[in-house]
Amino acid sequence: MVWCTHCGKDQPTERDDINGFICCTGCGRVHEDNIFSSDPTFVKSAGGQSQLSGNFIRDGQYCSYGRLDGDLNHDYGFRTDSHLKTLEKGKEEIEIIAESLCISGREAMVNAGHRLYIIAVERNFTRGRRTKQVAAACLYIVCRKKSHFCSSIFQMSYNYVLGAVFLQLCKLLRLEQHPIIQKPVDPSLFIHRFTDRLLGRTTSTKQYHAISNTALRILSSMKRDWMQTGRKPSGVCGAALYISALSHGFGCTKADVVSIVHICEATLTKRLIEFEKTESGSLTTEEFVAKAKELEAEMQSMKVPTRNSEIKGIKGITELLCEHKGTDAKHFAHGLCSHCYNEFVKVSGGIHGGSAPPAFQRAEEERRKESLQIKQDKGFFDNDEDSISCHKEDQENLEGNVKMTREKVKLTNEEMVEDGGACSQNGDNATGSRYKNTASTDVGTDNRNQDGQNGVTESCISEAAIGCPAETDDWSQLQFPESYKVGDDMGEELETLSDIDDEEVDRYLHNEEEVRLKTIIWTEMNKEYLEEQATKEEAIAAAEAAHAAALAAAAEGAPDAVELAAAAAAAVARLKKDKQRKRAEEAKNKVPPQSAAEATRQMLEKKKLSSKVNYDVLERLFEDNKKNVTQTSDGGKDIHNQSPAENVKRTRSVLWADEDSADFKNSKRQALQGEATEGNAVDFKEEGAEFKEERTDPNMEDGLEGDDFDVEGPDGLDNEHFQPYKLQYGHEVEYEYDYEDY
Amino acid sequence: MIRNSVWASIEACKNLIRNIVLTVNLDCKLDLKVIALQVRNAKYNPKRFAAVIMRIREPKTTALIFASGKMVCTGAKSEKQSKLVVRKYAQIIQKLGFPAHFKDFEIQNIVGSCDVKFPIGLEGLAYSHGAFSSYEPKLFPGLIYRMKQPKVVLLIFESGKIVLTGAKVRDETYTAFENIYPVLTEFRKVQQ
């Protein structure tokens, strides 16, 4: 029945396919005359050629050629209806996406999505946005609404543009208030999918289940500890999965997890740190699972909390305030019905459970540090201002302050304890959390563990490395300067005032790579020193070995050897005494220097710098002076002047000879000559060898290299001066020491 | 008058203590090479000096650590800070694996400085307190006053700035300042 304008009423119509029109049966007025036929008809055109009448029209489009409902004036021509086309295209896109995601129950979803798409098109939402995105958003809404598992699959291609489009669409469709959209996505939905991807096909289903279950439990613990609020679910998910995988022995790296979950490694690290700060972070896997099971069991048999009245402000609420307000649901607790209350407990751990959210923890720490700083400054200020007499009072004041803060801490502590919450957050920050990987020394961890056992509970905002009773022992051993000997209180004061972070200390240490590099550099730079050390050690070792050998030889029982050893020892002792005596005599009998040169030489000798002195230059230095002196003085003085120079040289260069007294030389000679057995000759031979070498080598320039002196270069000694001495040696003649009386 | 002087002196020495030198025995033999290689701000040049020179940024201090386990620390601004600092150093050493403990913690020297805010005639002061003062303007522009009780050395400058050193306890510094203040006012230079 179509409204006919001519008749003025609805009239049945007749369709004439041959001619292609629809007309009114009452008056015969033609409503539409664009009929489609599939039989081609040909007409003759002006030029005599036959032409196909009509147009080709694609399936799914209509042509408003001619009149539409009697409107002759508008001639649309062969125009495709873009509106319909758009809608169709959208549906296609939705279909494609649904197919690629392998969603079950596709038809219904696609249709539902398409309906949303139509609305979007009508509201001009598709303008300026890619069709694909809009299609995806529509499909996503449908999935979310259905709470279908596949909504998590959608997250796979999570990108920000899509998210934005989705949010806008929600706004458009007035879906913001819809609880489905409002509720944050539960990360536990993702666990299975991520686990699957992480583990691959190689692991057994048993392990898969174990890992995913632990991950779920970790997640719920995180939820209770407020780690999940305001965070992207994927981050929290990733962290839980990582921990769970590692704890089951599946060695996945952070990189693996990051690639699956699509978060940054920094984010993952952050979440891990936050988790480790929570109470659960310090449990082992078994403990954790046990605890989780406990909690689950508890949740099953949920009791109405009886502490309702104790908590201020919620006294005696009987009115239902949750989302089920107005319905028949009964009030269960805290203004919530049982369903909502259970959910509340599940998500947040209830009123008693869970730790403070990480952001709050951080803020608390900052606040605490600041207050400490202020207190410290105040303490200094007090000290500076008052005089000495007030000093002691200040001490007491400070202690008072400390005590006060402790009281406060205790108060807050008690509150927490009263609630029965699991608030043993003592130094869990730095306590050996099993999930933590840093290597702390045994001392450190022992201290902190003790701390935990002693139950020095502070507020649930954990403080790192504070309040170690073990350390008070150390401090009580301290011997403070007198004005600070205030006994144990000082120790306490120290504990609360000082706050040495493990982190901070770690900052002062190199990592492995740096250590390696530094070792290389340092060894290079200190090569000489190290070589010197090495040679010194060798020498010592050799001497010790020789000594040991000598002793062994002596112990073997040859009487000669024993005598010789004794004689040698005695000789050495005598030598030393002689040396000392001689020195004393010299000091006493020293002739006051007659000239500047002499004075200088004496000074040099005394200071034992002579080896570094160029004597030639020294002599020449005073030559002018000497000339003057010699002119006016006796010859004897010259000699006197001369001989010290030579003598000095001699002393420096052949110091070992210095030590020889005639006796010693004799004894040694005897030893060398009268040697029969090998064993006995061990050490003497060595020394003798040294002797011989030094003596018979006439080519030595610098003098004899022994332990007692180092002569650097030929500067200190001239060959000429040296020769006569050496020659004497060469002949092994007993020579007289000229400078005995020197 | 005396009261004013006391008040003025208190005003002047609000920020007195500048540096504290202390020694402590860590009570264990240390391997300086290991320490030097693993700690970030540690210098060890065995040829020149047989100790590791370690620095800490917060609070800014320097420590000399010897192989015997003894440590000298300078740079702390107060006694409390110095204790904290020693703990930090000990913690670092502990981290490297040495069993460090605190033994014989002793403050060796406290350095302070202040400003009396008026110029001083050093010449007169040196003359009248000849037994304690040593003033060689050509060598050093400050007067070196060696107080006997307490045993503190003060460097007094014409501008009115004073440096006090040698005290083992904070009180000694204060006392020394209290003692010197009237003397300084006595030799105050009148502005022309």
Side-chain angles (χ1 to χ4, degrees):
Chain A
M1 297 283 268
V2 181
W3 174 268
C4 176
T5 43
H6 187 80
C7 306
K9 60 176 176 187
D10 281 320
Q11 291 276 35
T13 55
E14 193 187 301
R15 186 189 170 96
D16 189 351
D17 276 317
I18 305 165
N19 296 321
F21 60 81
I22 299 171
C23 67
C24 162
T25 45
C27 57
R29 190 170 181 272
V30 173
H31 293 297
E32 280 178 49
D33 65 352
N34 43 358
I35 300 286
F36 310 112
S37 80
S38 48
D39 302 329
T41 51
F42 295 94
V43 279
K44 275 229 162 98
S45 67
Q49 287 179 330
S50 32
Q51 235 180 12
L52 177 73
S53 69
N55 305 300
F56 284 114
I57 299 174
R58 232 179 291 153
D59 185 21
Q61 77 189 50
Y62 69 93
C63 148
S64 26
Y65 189 75
R67 285 169 283 158
L68 236 181
D69 223 317
D71 194 359
L72 278 164
N73 292 327
H74 283 142
D75 186 355
Y76 294 104
F78 282 109
R79 171 183 68 82
T80 59
D81 192 330
S82 66
H83 188 75
L84 200 57
K85 199 170 157 64
T86 316
L87 296 177
E88 281 301 318
K89 197 168 176 194
K91 188 165 185 191
E92 273 173 37
E93 293 290 339
I94 295 172
E95 267 179 28
I96 291 168
I97 296 170
E99 205 176 295
S100 68
L101 292 177
C102 309
I103 308 169
S104 54
R106 211 168 297 158
E107 278 296 319
M109 304 279 254
V110 168
N111 287 336
H114 184 57
R115 286 194 287 277
L116 281 176
Y117 189 82
I118 293 172
I119 301 173
V121 169
E122 277 178 11
R123 305 285 193 86
N124 280 337
F125 186 74
T126 43
R127 291 227 179 149
R129 293 188 183 83
R130 295 190 193 280
T131 322
K132 277 202 173 76
Q133 287 169 5
V134 182
C138 292
L139 189 57
Y140 184 58
I141 292 176
V142 172
C143 287
R144 268 289 271 278
K145 272 193 177 166
K146 292 224 164 182
S147 298
H148 209 276
F149 184 61
C150 66
S151 70
S152 59
I153 297 174
F154 234 102
Q155 294 276 31
M156 185 173 17
S157 56
Y158 190 96
N159 74 61
Y160 295 103
V161 183
L162 189 60
V165 171
F166 165 70
L167 286 171
Q168 284 159 3
L169 190 58
C170 282
K171 210 169 166 187
L172 179 80
L173 298 174
R174 311 264 169 83
L175 284 176
E176 284 159 314
Q177 302 304 317
H178 200 288
I180 301 290
I181 307 299
Q182 260 196 325
K183 232 197 276 180
V185 179
D186 199 0
S188 34
L189 295 174
F190 304 146
I191 288 290
H192 289 286
R193 185 166 58 91
F194 288 145
T195 327
D196 202 32
R197 291 189 69 188
L198 185 67
L199 295 182
R201 296 287 157 219
T202 50
T203 50
S204 63
T205 43
K206 191 173 154 201
Q207 205 182 28
Y208 169 86
H209 280 307
I211 290 178
S212 59
N213 281 339
T214 319
L216 284 169
R217 290 209 173 95
I218 293 174
L219 255 185
S220 56
S221 156
M222 283 180 177
K223 268 192 227 166
R224 279 196 296 277
D225 293 331
W226 295 83
M227 259 183 71
Q228 186 228 334
T229 46
R231 267 81 185 273
K232 278 218 199 82
S234 44
V236 179
C237 224
L241 190 59
Y242 180 66
I243 296 169
S244 142
L246 283 180
S247 61
H248 282 278
F250 186 78
C252 65
T253 63
K254 279 188 186 169
D256 294 338
V257 176
V258 158
S259 64
I260 289 168
V261 183
H262 299 295
I263 54 173
C264 175
E265 194 165 328
T267 318
L268 180 64
T269 317
K270 238 172 151 185
R271 297 284 167 269
L272 289 171
I273 290 171
E274 277 173 10
F275 180 67
E276 144 206 329
K277 277 191 191 176
T278 67
E279 167 212 335
S280 323
S282 55
L283 308 170
T284 59
T285 326
E286 295 86 45
E287 285 174 13
F288 183 76
V289 169
K291 199 164 180 211
K293 284 197 176 137
E294 216 180 276
L295 265 165
E296 281 167 28
E298 216 182 278
M299 299 261 270
Q300 299 290 330
S301 57
M302 207 55 206
K303 285 180 278 181
V304 183
T306 51
R307 292 173 161 270
N308 207 350
S309 52
E310 284 182 43
I311 298 161
K312 296 177 197 165
I314 317 180
K315 235 177 188 174
I317 285 188
T318 47
E319 201 193 322
L320 201 64
L321 296 168
C322 63
E323 64 178 358
H324 298 116
K325 192 174 183 177
T327 63
D328 288 334
K330 216 171 53 169
H331 173 257
F332 189 67
H334 301 298
L336 304 168
C337 66
S338 64
H339 174 78
C340 288
Y341 183 72
N342 284 341
E343 210 182 300
F344 164 61
V345 171
K346 192 176 118 192
V347 167
S348 66
I351 297 172
H352 321 306
S355 53
F360 180 63
Q361 284 179 13
R362 281 197 291 270
E364 268 299 314
E365 257 205 69
E366 304 256 319
R367 195 194 55 77
R368 194 185 43 80
K369 274 190 188 151
E370 266 176 42
S371 67
L372 266 178
Q373 196 60 41
I374 292 169
K375 217 200 311 163
Q376 265 188 354
D377 292 341
K378 200 177 160 223
F380 296 159
F381 190 65
D382 286 339
N383 277 338
D384 276 338
E385 275 203 325
D386 305 332
S387 284
I388 322 128
S389 52
C390 298
H391 198 60
K392 280 272 155 75
E393 285 173 27
D394 291 338
Q395 282 291 330
E396 288 162 28
N397 280 341
L398 226 66
E399 289 157 43
N401 287 341
V402 168
K403 279 189 184 134
M404 251 170 50
T405 51
R406 288 212 134 212
E407 286 296 313
K408 275 192 205 148
V409 164
K410 266 194 181 157
L411 273 172
T412 53
N413 215 15
E414 276 163 17
E415 278 178 11
M416 305 302 304
V417 171
E418 186 194 47
D419 285 343
C423 265
S424 54
Q425 300 280 350
N426 43 0
D428 269 337
N429 224 349
T431 326
S433 103
R434 323 294 167 96
Y435 286 101
K436 199 172 157 186
N437 287 332
T438 56
S440 40
T441 60
D442 290 339
V443 183
T445 44
D446 281 345
N447 279 347
R448 290 182 205 115
N449 285 339
Q450 273 188 44
D451 174 26
Q453 283 158 26
N454 289 347
V456 177
T457 49
E458 320 226 4
S459 66
C460 66
I461 298 99
S462 18
E463 298 171 26
I466 279 189
C468 281
E471 289 193 40
T472 42
D473 293 338
D474 293 335
W475 278 107
S476 59
Q477 285 171 20
L478 276 176
Q479 295 163 25
F480 292 116
E482 258 182 87
S483 62
Y484 292 95
K485 268 196 180 132
V486 206
D488 284 333
D489 290 343
M490 181 53 77
E492 266 183 53
E493 194 184 294
L494 285 163
E495 285 164 43
T496 50
L497 284 181
S498 49
D499 179 7
I500 300 167
D501 274 326
D502 234 6
E503 276 181 47
E504 196 184 336
V505 174
D506 281 335
R507 262 190 275 141
Y508 285 116
L509 298 174
H510 280 308
N511 57 33
E512 278 178 32
E513 181 62 31
E514 289 174 16
V515 170
R516 197 178 62 85
L517 291 169
K518 199 165 178 185
T519 327
I520 297 170
I521 296 170
W522 191 85
T523 335
E524 260 312 307
M525 284 182 50
N526 292 290
K527 228 193 274 185
E528 298 160 9
Y529 173 73
L530 291 170
E531 280 167 21
E532 271 174 46
Q533 292 293 89
T535 49
K536 249 196 225 176
E537 277 172 32
E538 276 174 34
I540 295 170
E544 268 183 42
H547 192 62
L551 282 173
E556 267 168 33
D560 292 342
V562 174
E563 277 175 31
L564 282 166
V572 168
R574 237 180 301 145
L575 260 179
K576 281 204 178 141
K577 269 196 223 149
D578 285 342
K579 214 185 356 172
Q580 279 180 355
R581 227 190 310 129
K582 224 191 284 174
R583 285 227 181 104
E585 279 175 28
E586 279 169 32
K588 256 193 258 169
N589 304 340
K590 214 188 295 189
V591 180
Q594 299 288 344
S595 80
E598 227 187 291
T600 326
R601 261 185 229 110
Q602 280 192 4
M603 183 273 296
L604 286 170
E605 214 191 308
K606 203 162 114 194
K607 291 219 169 165
K608 302 205 174 152
L609 294 170
S610 308
S611 59
K612 299 181 165 85
V613 171
N614 186 340
Y615 281 96
D616 283 346
V617 179
L618 177 65
E619 281 214 10
R620 256 178 267 134
L621 192 69
F622 293 110
E623 247 178 29
D624 301 324
N625 289 348
K626 231 202 272 180
K627 278 191 194 141
N628 295 337
V629 171
T630 50
Q631 278 168 11
T632 54
S633 66
D634 315 330
K637 279 206 176 171
D638 283 342
I639 299 164
H640 208 63
N641 282 342
Q642 285 281 347
S643 47
E646 280 184 78
N647 293 339
V648 163
K649 282 181 207 148
R650 282 176 195 159
T651 46
R652 281 299 105 202
S653 57
V654 274
L655 201 58
W656 59 269
D658 224 3
E659 295 165 42
D660 287 353
S661 71
D663 297 342
F664 177 60
K665 272 202 92 184
N666 283 334
S667 70
K668 280 234 171 182
R669 285 252 176 86
Q670 273 181 7
L672 284 167
Q673 288 161 8
E675 261 338 63
T677 49
E678 271 187 17
N680 295 335
V682 163
D683 58 340
F684 287 118
K685 234 190 186 171
E686 277 182 28
E687 289 181 40
E690 263 183 62
F691 254 142
K692 281 192 184 150
E693 270 179 1
E694 286 163 5
R695 282 160 155 205
T696 56
D697 186 0
N699 294 327
M700 278 208 308
E701 274 197 345
D702 298 341
L704 311 157
E705 288 176 29
D707 291 352
D708 297 328
F709 56 92
D710 15 336
V711 179
E712 291 169 309
D715 292 334
L717 305 148
D718 262 1
N719 269 347
E720 327 154 30
H721 288 284
F722 202 62
Q723 284 289 356
Y725 209 59
K726 272 197 283 189
L727 282 170
Q728 286 184 352
Y729 259 108
H731 292 128
E732 291 198 20
V733 169
E734 280 231 276
Y735 50 87
E736 285 161 8
Y737 294 78
D738 299 328
Y739 46 88
E740 200 120 77
D741 51 5
Y742 158 70
Chain B
M1 276 305 122
I2 298 171
R3 258 221 203 138
N4 280 349
S5 129
V6 168
W7 175 244
S9 74
I10 293 169
E11 278 289 309
C13 70
K14 268 225 167 91
N15 252 338
L16 201 52
I17 308 287
R18 297 285 182 191
N19 182 23
I20 295 188
V21 179
L22 54 99
T23 54
V24 74
N25 187 0
L26 295 175
D27 211 17
C28 73
K29 293 268 169 279
L30 303 173
D31 185 352
L32 296 185
K33 196 167 158 200
V34 161
I35 296 175
L37 291 176
Q38 293 200 4
V39 177
R40 243 176 243 270
N41 296 354
K43 269 190 255 198
Y44 179 43
N45 201 342
K47 272 202 293 189
R48 290 192 44 213
F49 191 55
V52 170
I53 303 162
M54 202 193 295
R55 296 193 157 85
I56 278 190
R57 274 183 292 266
E58 185 52 55
K60 189 150 170 268
T61 48
T62 310
L64 303 174
I65 305 176
F66 292 84
S68 62
K70 298 223 171 93
M71 181 166 89
V72 178
C73 175
T74 74
K77 290 266 187 282
S78 73
E79 297 89 337
K80 291 183 191 74
Q81 225 187 48
S82 63
K83 276 174 212 136
L84 170 70
V85 158
V86 163
R87 281 188 75 190
K88 280 201 185 165
Y89 280 114
Q91 193 113 338
I92 296 177
I93 303 284
Q94 267 181 6
K95 274 254 156 160
L96 295 172
F98 300 100
H101 302 287
F102 305 106
K103 218 177 108 176
D104 314 321
F105 173 98
E106 198 186 325
I107 291 184
Q108 300 290 349
N109 184 18
I110 297 182
V111 180
S113 79
C114 61
D115 186 4
V116 297
K117 305 262 199 286
F118 54 77
I120 305 166
L122 298 177
E123 195 57 56
L125 174 57
Y127 183 69
S128 79
H129 290 253
F132 313 104
S133 324
S134 150
Y135 180 46
E136 300 278 338
K138 297 215 174 126
L139 285 185
F140 185 61
L143 187 149
I144 303 164
Y145 194 100
R146 294 179 190 276
M147 202 177 279
K148 291 274 194 285
Q149 186 49 249
K151 192 156 181 294
V152 167
V153 175
L154 299 92
L155 301 175
I156 304 168
F157 294 88
E158 274 209 38
S159 60
K161 296 219 165 46
I162 317 287
V163 175
L164 306 94
T165 178
K168 285 263 194 299
V169 212
R170 185 185 277 258
D171 303 348
E172 283 177 16
T173 325
Y174 291 134
T175 319
F177 184 73
E178 304 267 317
N179 291 350
I180 202 75
Y181 194 82
V183 176
L184 298 177
T185 45
E186 194 188 322
F187 290 97
R188 179 184 193 146
K189 254 200 226 169
V190 182
Q191 305 289 57
Q192 241 100 47

